[in-house]
């Protein structure tokens, strides 16, 4: 939601693994003003192409090997342990600071 406050035209698709938290997020009044959608099934993200994928929690079964199909850019926030998996999946590190890692698909 904070990403949409910075840029009102930004389209955001989000997956929250916890059903209760996802239900609460879907009732947020910002959804009427901003383009934020919450998917119920994580597998639906593999059907689309995104400019950037932000992974901030790894409490779901994410197929990191499919990330190079979904996006050319992945940002890991507090998930640096996933870096090696994405490097093997065809990404390279573009920037790394503190607990944020930006990976771009190799050309």
């Amino acid at each position: 939601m904070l990403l949409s406050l910075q840029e009102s035209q930004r389209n955001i698709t989000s997956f929250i693994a916890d059903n209760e938290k996802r239900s609460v997020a879907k009732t947020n009044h910002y959804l009427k003003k901003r383009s934020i959608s919450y998917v119920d099934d994580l597998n639906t993200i593999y059907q689309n192409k995104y400019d950037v994928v932000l992974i901030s929690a790894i409490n779901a079964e994410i197929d990191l090997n499919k990330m190079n199909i979904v996006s050319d850019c992945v940002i890991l926030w507090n998930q640096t342990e996933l870096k090696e998996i994405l490097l093997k999946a065809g990404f390279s590190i573009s920037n790394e600071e503190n607990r944020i890692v930006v990976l771009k698909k190799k050309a």
Side-chain angles (χ1 to χ4, degrees):
M1 184 179 74
L2 291 175
L3 291 172
S4 70
L5 293 175
Q6 292 175 341
E7 176 58 52
S8 63
Q9 300 302 313
R10 187 176 282 157
N11 294 322
I12 298 173
T13 302
S14 179
F15 175 75
I16 301 173
D18 185 298
N19 289 331
E20 186 176 343
K21 290 179 182 177
R22 186 177 339 115
S23 294
V24 170
K26 285 182 175 184
T27 63
N28 192 315
H29 73 278
Y30 279 111
L31 296 178
K32 294 179 176 85
K33 297 180 181 183
R34 308 290 184 178
S35 182
I36 304 173
S37 62
Y38 294 93
V39 294
D40 294 322
D41 181 9
L42 183 60
N43 290 317
T44 60
I45 68 163
Y46 304 121
Q47 300 168 6
N48 297 305
K49 184 80 171 167
Y50 302 97
D51 293 332
V52 177
V53 172
L54 170 65
I55 301 175
S56 61
I58 190 69
N59 55 0
E61 291 295 320
I62 299 173
D63 188 349
L64 294 172
N65 293 311
K66 290 184 179 179
M67 278 301 125
N68 60 0
I69 297 167
V70 174
S71 181
D72 294 337
C73 180
V74 176
I75 299 174
L76 300 176
W77 183 38
N78 291 329
Q79 299 299 321
T80 54
E81 65 275 3
L82 302 178
K83 179 173 58 173
E84 291 302 320
I85 297 169
L86 288 167
L87 289 172
K88 290 177 185 174
F91 286 86
S92 61
I93 296 172
S94 171
N95 193 4
E96 186 171 6
E97 291 182 34
N98 299 325
R99 294 183 287 173
I100 299 173
V101 180
V102 179
L103 299 112
K104 303 258 178 151
K105 187 170 22 173
K106 293 178 184 174

